[in-house]
Amino acid sequence: MLCQHCQKNEANMHMKRIINGSATEVHLCSDCARSLGYGDSFSGFGLGFSDLFRDLLGKGERTLSGNALRCSLCGKSFDDIVESGRVGCAECYSTFYDKLLPTLRKIHGKTTHQGKVPSAFENSHKTQQSKVEKLKADLKKAVEKEDFETAAKLRDEINYIVNGGAAK
Amino acid sequence: MSAKWYLGTGVQNDVVISTSIHLVRNLSDFPFPHMLSLQDKLKVNTIIKNATDSLDNYNFNYLEMKTLSQYEVVSLAERHLVSPEFASSRDGRALLITEDEAVSVMLNEEDHIRFQVMYAAFSLDEAYRTANEIDNCLSDKLNFAFDDRIGYLTQDPTIIGTGMKASVVLHLPGLAAAMQIPKLISTVQKLGLTLRGSYGEGAAAKGDMFQLSNSITLGISEKAAIENLKSITLQIAAQERSAREEILKSNVTEDKIFRAYGTLKYARLLDTDEFMDLMSLVRLGAVKGIIKMDTAKIEGMMINMQPATISLSVDRPLDRNGRDALRAKRVREMLEM
């Protein structure tokens, strides 16, 4: 199918938009989609929560690539999540962590869990937190000593743990 | 049959009708329900049901939703034991419920497990203690989906983190009469809470019943969310009491209360909306000592007179007129007692 806008390139972005109750299908190539602003607006007029979520997700997050990363447990790609407005499984949150985080921030204002930790995770959670605290203290000392090489290493290590890698 | 949870009484009961704690959990090994085949949903139900067998203090009845009639399912939703979403589709869904209906566990709603603990009046700490105890027992048997950074993982991202929604149902006839509800809705929103009609939606709440709950679940601990809800509830309750004083200064309100009582006592047809509005006035009269009536009885009537619930109490199908007549009859009987 050719792009509805330029009529030249192959359309590789297909969307359904619901405007005032009637569904409209849009088929565009990625260049036209971007120039027409579809890449960063994905708003519907539905009332359901998934519409709201989809709307939040869609703002600047939708990728236009064809062979997207898929979740290893449920098989959803990020585009599938945006399309349906629903996260497929727990694993999706790790697979698409960076892309989902801005949405979580929009909803809750924060992105770090506070509160209960299931017993099975308690030990690893505590070890990780104390490890980060120790590294932060070391980092502070390194900066005071103006040992910037060590400080940079420590900073990377903290970022690695905080962003999801396990404590080394 | 054991006494239902709503027949209890407690502190702040003039304004706070009930308290509930809602916890959402998912099994880490299965995709969320909307991605599951019917067969996998049934597998999930069995796994969770088996895990609840270890909860010795709670005698759960296990109900597969597809074995229930539409009336039975809607009645469960009217009694706030399941969500309207849960009632909308029955395949592969199941409910675990205690005899007193204080604890109900929805299986395969939008998440694998959504359970709630209900208490009469203002009992947030007690309700949380019970919910937490159940959660700990289940967590020993099941692998919950959890992430160190963003907490309990849920299909619905608005409840990710603690996965906890704490709510109170408030009776606000004074603030509603003073047209303060829309302002209140926007004020609590800024404080991370949501206020909406407990029966019916939004500002058009039936019977002046409103549900107040936390809307933020990520980055705030269970304890902090509950403390926040507690303090806002107490402030609203205080405002409601002064609004009641204000409207009761005039004998117009007293007249409305007695007229409501008279209508309930003698009417031959009562539809749900009218019934709820009259009961709101009667409840106000009862807590202010203007008419003599037990509030637990009022709470029980409000729950049991909803359309599907009242239809269930007789064997034959009822049309709207039949239902309104039956409701009026039941109300007359209750008021004679």
Side-chain angles (χ1 to χ4, degrees):
Chain A
M1 182 185 286
L2 286 178
C3 168
Q4 286 173 333
H5 188 66
C6 64
Q7 300 286 339
K8 282 183 211 154
N9 302 331
E10 188 67 21
N12 52 8
M13 192 177 158
H14 311 279
M15 292 193 322
K16 267 187 212 136
R17 306 197 85 204
I18 295 172
I19 297 162
N20 292 338
S22 58
T24 317
E25 289 206 30
V26 187
H27 308 280
L28 299 168
C29 67
S30 33
D31 289 345
C32 292
R34 220 174 283 128
S35 66
L36 293 170
Y38 279 106
D40 51 17
S41 82
F42 206 76
S43 55
F45 289 83
L47 294 168
F49 172 74
S50 52
D51 290 318
L52 171 72
F53 183 43
R54 186 166 57 199
D55 194 24
L56 283 169
L57 276 171
K59 296 237 191 310
E61 296 296 331
R62 191 176 163 87
T63 55
L64 294 166
S65 64
N67 48 4
L69 178 66
R70 289 190 175 272
C71 170
S72 62
L73 181 63
C74 72
K76 272 199 181 191
S77 67
F78 188 70
D79 284 1
D80 291 338
I81 295 176
V82 174
E83 188 69 32
S84 64
R86 293 164 123 182
V87 177
C89 67
E91 194 56 36
C92 287
Y93 282 105
S94 328
T95 314
F96 308 111
Y97 183 74
D98 295 338
K99 289 177 174 173
L100 288 167
L101 213 56
T103 304
L104 296 180
R105 185 178 287 117
K106 276 177 206 158
I107 298 171
H108 298 279
K110 287 180 184 165
T111 53
T112 314
H113 174 57
Q114 301 273 322
K116 191 172 178 177
V117 173
S119 52
F121 285 79
E122 231 159 30
N123 289 333
S124 73
H125 190 74
K126 271 188 199 146
T127 336
Q128 209 141 309
Q129 282 192 329
S130 57
K131 174 100 184 171
V132 170
E133 270 158 35
K134 189 182 170 298
L135 286 170
K136 279 186 180 164
D138 290 349
L139 173 63
K140 203 177 161 200
K141 273 183 217 156
V143 172
E144 277 164 9
K145 277 194 242 159
E146 298 187 9
D147 178 358
F148 296 117
E149 201 178 322
T150 314
K153 269 187 205 157
L154 289 166
R155 182 204 57 207
D156 291 346
E157 204 171 332
I158 292 168
N159 284 344
Y160 179 72
I161 298 172
V162 171
N163 292 322
K168 278 175 195 163
Chain B
M1 204 162 81
S2 66
K4 302 294 186 213
W5 66 271
Y6 48 78
L7 297 177
T9 51
V11 287
Q12 306 282 340
N13 183 238
D14 57 335
V15 179
V16 188
I17 306 233
S18 63
T19 302
S20 67
I21 298 284
H22 218 86
L23 285 181
V24 179
R25 300 289 185 251
N26 283 285
L27 307 184
S28 58
D29 306 332
F30 289 86
F32 296 141
H34 76 279
M35 296 291 283
L36 290 179
S37 65
L38 182 60
Q39 207 180 357
D40 281 339
K41 282 185 187 172
L42 297 177
K43 209 189 279 177
V44 166
N45 288 345
T46 311
I47 292 171
I48 300 166
K49 183 187 175 293
N50 290 342
T52 58
D53 289 342
S54 64
L55 290 162
D56 297 332
N57 300 339
Y58 307 88
N59 252 325
F60 284 110
N61 288 320
Y62 178 75
L63 300 169
E64 293 213 9
M65 297 310 280
K66 72 171 182 351
T67 64
L68 303 182
S69 71
Q70 187 62 24
Y71 272 135
E72 287 172 309
V73 180
V74 176
S75 168
L76 288 168
E78 284 174 357
R79 288 179 279 155
H80 296 183
L81 297 172
V82 304
S83 62
E85 152 62 27
F86 193 69
S88 69
S89 154
R90 284 173 278 170
D91 266 353
R93 292 177 163 174
L95 180 70
L96 288 154
I97 188 164
T98 55
E99 190 68 38
D100 65 358
E101 298 178 354
V103 184
S104 54
V105 189
M106 288 186 275
L107 306 184
N108 281 317
E109 203 240 28
E110 291 204 338
D111 293 276
H112 297 139
I113 303 177
R114 288 191 165 200
F115 75 91
Q116 70 172 14
V117 174
M118 294 214 267
Y119 272 68
F122 192 43
S123 321
L124 280 164
D125 291 331
E126 294 86 337
Y128 182 69
R129 207 177 303 128
T130 307
N132 194 38
E133 182 188 292
I134 295 172
D135 183 45
N136 287 341
C137 292
L138 291 178
S139 160
D140 286 343
K141 303 271 172 187
L142 302 168
N143 287 328
F144 285 153
F146 180 85
D147 181 290
D148 255 340
R149 301 158 292 178
I150 52 176
Y152 288 94
L153 302 173
T154 55
Q155 195 277 128
D156 173 355
T158 62
I159 198 164
I160 204 167
T162 57
M164 183 197 76
K165 207 132 264 198
S167 321
V168 288
V169 172
L170 306 172
H171 184 217
L172 305 175
L175 291 170
M179 313 293 260
Q180 291 296 304
I181 302 297
K183 199 178 123 205
L184 200 55
I185 289 175
S186 67
T187 309
V188 299
Q189 205 172 10
K190 290 178 196 127
L191 302 165
L193 301 176
T194 309
L195 183 76
R196 59 188 186 86
S198 179
Y199 292 92
E201 286 295 313
K206 292 177 193 168
D208 304 320
M209 296 290 181
F210 295 87
Q211 188 186 49
L212 181 70
S213 48
N214 61 304
S215 51
I216 309 280
T217 53
L218 183 59
I220 180 167
S221 70
E222 292 85 353
K223 195 171 180 302
I226 286 173
E227 287 306 319
N228 187 31
L229 178 63
K230 248 194 225 171
S231 86
I232 310 287
T233 301
L234 291 174
Q235 288 175 45
I236 295 176
Q239 282 182 28
E240 167 61 23
R241 285 184 198 109
S242 39
R244 287 179 186 180
E245 291 307 321
E246 204 52 47
I247 58 169
L248 285 165
K249 277 181 188 159
S250 138
N251 56 9
V252 173
T253 307
E254 190 193 5
D255 178 64
K256 276 188 190 163
I257 291 168
F258 277 109
R259 279 170 182 272
Y261 187 72
T263 307
L264 287 171
K265 206 162 173 180
Y266 293 105
R268 265 32 189 183
L269 290 174
L270 278 175
D271 73 24
T272 319
D273 289 5
E274 185 189 13
F275 165 78
M276 291 299 285
D277 289 342
L278 297 172
M279 285 305 279
S280 173
L281 283 161
V282 166
R283 192 178 196 282
L284 174 63
V287 297
K288 297 303 291 180
I290 296 167
I291 45 180
K292 229 184 137 205
M293 206 166 156
D294 183 15
T295 53
K297 187 163 154 180
I298 297 173
E299 264 74 278
M301 282 169 79
M302 283 195 173
I303 288 171
N304 291 313
M305 295 297 140
Q306 297 300 314
T309 309
I310 196 157
S311 300
L312 267 186
S313 67
V314 286
D315 296 334
R316 60 199 146 77
L318 290 173
D319 61 3
R320 197 192 167 104
N321 184 280
R323 211 161 53 212
D324 292 351
L326 180 63
R327 183 180 293 113
K329 181 168 174 276
R330 288 280 154 76
V331 169
R332 290 200 304 276
E333 288 164 1
M334 290 291 287
L335 295 182
E336 290 302 319
M337 273 158 59

